[in-house]
Amino acid sequence: MLELNSISTFYGNIQALHDISLRVEEGEIITLIGANGAGKSTTLMSISGIAPPRTGEILFKGKPIHELSANKIVGLGICQVPEGRHIFPDLTVAENLDMGAFLRSDKKQIEKDLTYIYDLFPILQKRRNQPGGNLSGGEQQMLAISRALMARPQLLLLDEPSMGLAPLVTKQIFDIIKKINREHNTTIFLVEQNANLALKVADRGYVLETGRITLHDKASTLLSNEDVQKAYLGI
Ligand code: ATP
């Protein structure tokens, strides 16, 4: 579904990604794990067109997307949930969800998707008339994921969904991520610092160190890899 071929991304003179190559197959959950500053967010932003690569190519279903604008990329079915959520705090929950469907005109399907989302996260239905900024951190993460789902993505890019959340809320969100993947037919590219959780939910994983991919394998194999255990799992 998605192919990154030797991409390098820069912020001015600072090179954040060095020749990154990776693949995401349709239907998978893949995870990119790595320390602070390794380049995980930059990888997602390169895919979504926010920080386009300077060299290399990104193919979505075989077609190059690395020169397209971010809104064109959303229109193709790739949606990013950014680190820190970035919901609209002054808009209600329902209005935030409407914003996710901004590029769509299929009203009936939008209604159905809204019902699906309220089934997935009943708390959002309960709070639908409250400003997004009044929600707890976990609820805001649910809203950010839901807003992205309202765009009907084929590929969902999740940046650190566990950030700042209590373990129980994180578990709830990861269970829903699995459910979205299985039931909503959505391929997921998950960036996480919580490598243990991410590798448990993912099919395959990539390890990123200072802007370079150093390892990739089945998630279960990475979980039992001694170097990964030492560096990322605290074992
Ligand atoms: P974290 O887990 O802390 O979010 P990350 O793995 O997502 O880290 P990135 O945020 O992608 O890492 O950062 C990769 C590198 O690019 C870091 O060295 C960072 O300092 C640098 N960087 C990120 N954003 C910018 C920017 N806007 N301008 C300059 N350098 C940046």
Side-chain angles (χ1 to χ4, degrees):
M1 178 177 246
L2 184 80
E3 220 177 296
L4 273 56
N5 291 327
S6 272
I7 68 155
S8 293
T9 302
F10 293 73
Y11 296 103
N13 291 330
I14 300 167
Q15 183 165 6
L17 299 182
H18 299 258
D19 281 326
I20 299 272
S21 294
L22 59 82
R23 296 170 66 88
V24 184
E25 308 292 344
E26 190 166 351
E28 282 192 307
I29 300 182
I30 80 134
T31 187
L32 182 64
I33 60 172
N36 263 333
K40 303 182 298 298
S41 298
T42 304
T43 306
L44 290 192
M45 291 194 291
S46 295
I47 298 166
S48 61
I50 299 165
R54 192 175 288 177
T55 57
E57 60 170 11
I58 303 179
L59 306 177
F60 180 57
K61 296 178 161 180
K63 298 212 173 102
I65 59 164
H66 50 276
E67 286 177 345
L68 300 182
S69 63
N71 65 328
K72 285 239 166 70
I73 292 173
V74 173
L76 288 177
I78 301 179
C79 224
Q80 182 175 352
V81 180
E83 186 177 318
R85 280 80 89 169
H86 296 284
I87 56 144
F88 301 107
D90 298 329
L91 299 186
T92 65
V93 167
E95 287 166 343
N96 266 277
L97 293 173
D98 277 352
M99 293 301 281
F102 188 71
L103 290 175
R104 296 173 59 184
S105 52
D106 50 339
K107 278 202 175 139
K108 276 198 182 141
Q109 189 58 48
I110 290 176
E111 282 301 315
K112 275 191 196 158
D113 289 349
L114 198 56
T115 307
Y116 173 79
I117 278 163
Y118 284 150
D119 278 351
L120 216 50
F121 297 114
I123 190 73
L124 295 184
Q125 184 164 29
K126 238 176 157 179
R127 304 208 187 282
R128 65 187 179 283
N129 295 319
Q130 292 185 18
N134 287 3
L135 302 183
S136 70
E139 289 161 359
Q140 288 191 16
Q141 185 63 61
M142 293 173 196
L143 180 56
I145 292 173
S146 300
R147 186 183 56 188
L149 287 179
M150 286 303 287
R152 280 232 139 206
Q154 296 168 52
L155 175 63
L156 186 62
L157 311 175
L158 295 173
D159 197 349
E160 305 261 5
S162 77
M163 192 156 130
L165 302 184
L168 257 180
V169 183
T170 301
K171 185 179 178 314
Q172 195 188 352
I173 291 198
F174 271 67
D175 286 346
I176 300 266
I177 290 172
K178 236 194 250 173
K179 205 166 166 189
I180 293 166
N181 171 251
R182 307 256 155 88
E183 292 177 3
H184 205 245
N185 200 19
T186 310
T187 305
I188 292 177
F189 190 152
L190 170 68
V191 153
E192 256 298 335
Q193 268 198 52
N194 188 332
N196 192 26
L197 263 179
L199 290 172
K200 280 186 178 142
V201 83
D203 299 299
R204 290 188 305 117
Y206 289 83
V207 178
L208 190 64
E209 283 175 30
T210 54
R212 292 176 176 85
I213 302 276
T214 52
L215 254 181
H216 68 99
D217 216 322
K218 275 189 187 163
S220 53
T221 309
L222 290 176
L223 266 174
S224 54
N225 177 304
E226 266 187 30
D227 293 337
V228 173
Q229 288 182 343
K230 262 191 216 139
Y232 302 106
L233 303 176
I235 296 175

